[in-house]
Amino acid sequence: MIRTMTAEDRAAYMALADEFYHTDAVLHAIPATYYEAIFDEAIRHGPYVDGYLFEQDGQLAGYAIVTRSFSTEAGGPVLWIEEVYIRPAFQGHGLGKAFFAFLEATYPPAVRRFRLEVEPDNARAIALYQRLGFEDLPYKQMIRDFSAQ
């Protein structure tokens, strides 16, 4: 089951996000205050962030965070799949594939592109994304972070 996060899911989400940010699927851990900020935005149901929890057989199996942007290259709105985390015990059972099917049924036709990032060493995730029709972009991404005030 895939469901939208609610305020009552704070502790569950915080635990899952902490697990995710301590795996090889990310470059480095982030402060817990960042998890809190994204959760607060997701449950606010504003225009930018949606949060989902995955459950299987009555157990919490993972989560996903998606955000929205607009792209000239895509010719319209883009859905960024910011985070998809499925606990190891639930991997390989079709939850990732089900989540992307859920996104396709929920967001288009307004969304023109799905976009995501993946660590180059995350072979299982890359294989799934390729099977789902994702392709590599020949871009080098750059960032400039600003300190939280």
Side-chain angles (χ1 to χ4, degrees):
M1 179 174 82
I2 300 165
R3 66 175 178 81
T4 302
M5 289 181 191
T6 67
E8 292 77 26
D9 295 318
R10 179 178 293 277
Y13 165 74
M14 293 294 288
L16 287 168
D18 191 60
E19 286 177 29
F20 174 65
Y21 276 96
H22 287 90
T23 69
D24 292 339
V26 295
L27 288 175
H28 54 81
I30 62 172
T33 56
Y34 290 13
Y35 314 156
E36 292 171 357
I38 197 76
F39 180 82
D40 290 341
E41 186 64 25
I43 63 164
R44 193 173 69 80
H45 303 295
Y48 304 111
V49 179
D50 293 324
Y52 300 99
L53 290 179
F54 308 153
E55 296 175 351
Q56 188 171 42
D57 300 325
Q59 295 182 341
L60 194 57
Y63 79 98
I65 299 291
V66 299
T67 62
R68 292 174 196 78
S69 68
F70 195 92
S71 170
T72 303
E73 291 179 3
V78 173
L79 191 70
W80 273 89
I81 296 96
E82 291 279 343
E83 298 172 12
V84 177
Y85 174 62
I86 299 170
R87 286 179 156 162
F90 298 95
Q91 293 175 5
H93 297 137
L95 283 173
K97 185 176 178 182
F99 176 64
F100 283 93
F102 168 82
L103 291 179
E104 288 184 30
T106 302
Y107 289 93
V111 170
R112 304 288 301 161
R113 174 182 284 167
F114 287 174
R115 188 166 178 169
L116 54 77
E117 296 174 341
V118 61
E119 291 300 315
D121 295 336
N122 195 343
R124 287 183 69 183
I126 291 169
L128 171 64
Y129 301 149
Q130 288 173 334
R131 283 193 309 271
L132 294 173
F134 285 81
E135 56 189 63
D136 290 335
L137 282 174
Y139 294 116
K140 174 179 176 71
Q141 292 202 356
M142 300 173 71
I143 61 171
R144 180 178 173 201
D145 287 335
F146 296 90
S147 298
Q149 302 286 328

